[in-house]
Amino acid sequence: MYVTTEYDDIRIPVANKRGQINEKPETIAKYNEFMSGVDRQDQLLAIYPCERKTLRWYLKLAIHTFQLLFINSYKMYNKYSGKPKMTLYDYRLAVINELLPEKNTAVSVPTGPSRAKTSREVPHKISKITERNSKGNIKRKMCRMCSKSQKIRRDSMWHCETCIDKPGLCFECFDEFHLSI
């Protein structure tokens, strides 16, 4: 809903990103045309809200400032990196993965002097599936542990690159799977 006296209540044709033409009220079309900066930033901030009622005002201010810096770095990455644009969700995951310490999920097995390395001694790392189907969507694999132990079907977009058959695994099942092999 909107209230304005600046524009008449008429509908004008507007093309979207795909080139399709739709009719929108002139007020909405003008708002979308000139929307930038603060409006777009508020829209991105609203996706992952971090403020809570119980925080002190200075903590809210610090968290809000950190979020603004994060969104600015996201915009700069997409603009200047020269790589394909990332979604805000994928960017957040990439930053979190870089900030977290390297987790070695290798299971230690006593080795003899002549014994070759087994799959248990190789460090396993969970990674996102990059293969795409015919529609261009990321392929998903069924989580092997959820289907085996809990008898439920859970599709996952993660798998273990190191394992021979690259089994689909969700985050919760990754360590459990590698302890059981």
Side-chain angles (χ1 to χ4, degrees):
M1 172 170 299
Y2 59 92
V3 176
T4 183
T5 57
E6 186 174 354
Y7 300 104
D8 294 329
D9 191 21
I10 59 170
R11 298 178 84 68
I12 59 173
V14 177
N16 64 11
K17 290 180 183 178
R18 296 183 187 108
Q20 300 168 337
I21 298 193
N22 296 325
E23 287 194 353
K24 288 187 178 181
E26 185 179 16
T27 306
I28 302 296
K30 291 294 183 186
Y31 173 79
N32 289 341
E33 182 181 344
F34 297 110
M35 182 178 94
S36 63
V38 175
D39 294 325
R40 186 71 68 199
Q41 193 171 41
D42 287 344
Q43 191 177 34
L44 290 171
L45 282 173
I47 296 172
Y48 301 106
C50 289
E51 290 85 10
R52 298 288 179 255
K53 270 200 236 179
T54 58
L55 293 178
R56 301 275 190 247
W57 68 269
Y58 51 85
L59 288 178
K60 284 185 181 182
L61 181 65
I63 290 171
H64 183 73
T65 304
F66 181 75
Q67 282 186 304
L68 291 176
L69 292 170
F70 189 82
I71 294 217
N72 288 340
S73 71
Y74 163 70
K75 294 293 229 173
M76 289 176 62
Y77 176 83
N78 278 340
K79 189 172 185 178
Y80 298 113
S81 71
K83 297 178 182 175
K85 289 187 176 184
M86 294 177 85
T87 63
L88 182 58
Y89 177 76
D90 289 336
Y91 183 74
R92 288 174 70 95
L93 283 181
V95 169
I96 290 169
N97 285 334
E98 288 299 318
L99 291 176
L100 289 176
E102 189 70 28
K103 182 178 178 187
N104 188 358
T105 58
V107 179
S108 60
V109 176
T111 58
S114 63
R115 210 168 131 208
K117 284 196 168 202
T118 64
S119 66
R120 287 180 167 217
E121 296 162 351
V122 177
H124 294 273
K125 190 172 182 182
I126 195 164
S127 62
K128 195 171 187 178
I129 299 171
T130 56
E131 299 173 53
R132 298 197 175 264
N133 60 18
S134 59
K135 294 180 181 178
N137 298 330
I138 292 177
K139 283 188 177 180
R140 293 179 179 262
K141 293 182 179 180
M142 188 168 61
C143 176
R144 189 168 291 178
M145 289 302 288
C146 289
S147 63
K148 187 171 117 181
S149 62
Q150 300 172 11
K151 305 284 190 241
I152 59 171
R153 180 187 172 100
R154 181 183 292 172
D155 290 336
S156 176
M157 43 197 270
W158 302 94
H159 65 165
C160 181
E161 281 281 335
T162 315
C163 291
I164 297 168
D165 55 348
K166 296 184 181 179
L169 297 165
C170 56
F171 281 116
E172 296 82 18
C173 298
F174 183 77
D175 290 331
E176 183 183 341
F177 173 78
H178 288 95
L179 289 172
S180 68
I181 58 171

